Amino acid sequence: MLRNLPQILSPSLLYTLRAMGHGDRIALVDGNFPAESSGPDCLRLDGISATDVLKAVLQVMPLDTFVTAPAITMQVVGDPEAVPDIVAEFQSIIDQVADHPAKISTLERHAFYEAASGAFAVVQTGEQRLYGNILLTKGIIAP
């Protein structure tokens, strides 16, 4: 056990977050996402919501301030302007927890899959709400 770290961050996830460099992306995805077949290493946090995972990750990982879209979600198929409740909750978490809050951007479903396939890792959560997927770009911690 360690102090001041969210307990839901598994040893493998902590290792992954630490190993990532500036500009690397991590995908936090829901239970329906094709995580195992997407390409990058898949870490599982079954039974834990995507919102709880996002909160925990943002407590230890800075968002990138050098890109225009450090947080990206998947657009609703057939209604790209819709904002699912979980995405609104993601935005609230980013606003409250991130060291540099940013407005969430969106990608069309297949473009999101493609972006996730290039991530450093994919974290499959136990999230059951649809569109509970978010890509985060790691920033720097200034000296």
Side-chain angles (χ1 to χ4, degrees), residues 54 86-96 101-104:
L54 177 62
I86 191 166
V87 173
E89 195 171 340
F90 284 160
Q91 185 65 68
S92 178
I93 291 166
I94 290 169
D95 292 344
Q96 294 171 18
K103 185 177 180 327
I104 291 175

Side-chain angles (χ1 to χ4, degrees), residues 16 27 35-36 38-43 119-123:
T16 297
E36 294 285 347
S38 67
D41 288 340
C42 178
L43 306 168
F120 191 90
V122 173
V123 179

Side-chain angles (χ1 to χ4, degrees), residues 16 20 32 52 55 58 72 76 88 92 94 108 121 130 137 139:
T16 297
M20 290 171 62
N32 288 306
D52 285 347
K55 220 176 289 181
L58 289 178
I72 302 170
V76 174
S92 178
I94 290 169
E108 180 274 331
L130 299 179
T137 304

Side-chain angles (χ1 to χ4, degrees), residues 46-109:
D46 298 312
I48 302 174
S49 72
T51 49
D52 285 347
V53 175
L54 177 62
K55 220 176 289 181
V57 166
L58 289 178
Q59 288 179 41
V60 299
M61 188 191 90
L63 286 179
D64 198 338
T65 58
F66 295 104
V67 296
T68 56
I72 302 170
T73 59
M74 182 188 295
Q75 293 174 353
V76 174
V77 175
D79 190 1
E81 300 302 317
V83 179
D85 290 343
I86 191 166
V87 173
E89 195 171 340
F90 284 160
Q91 185 65 68
S92 178
I93 291 166
I94 290 169
D95 292 344
Q96 294 171 18
V97 180
D99 52 346
H100 299 285
K103 185 177 180 327
I104 291 175
S105 296
T106 64
L107 286 175
E108 180 274 331
R109 177 179 158 224

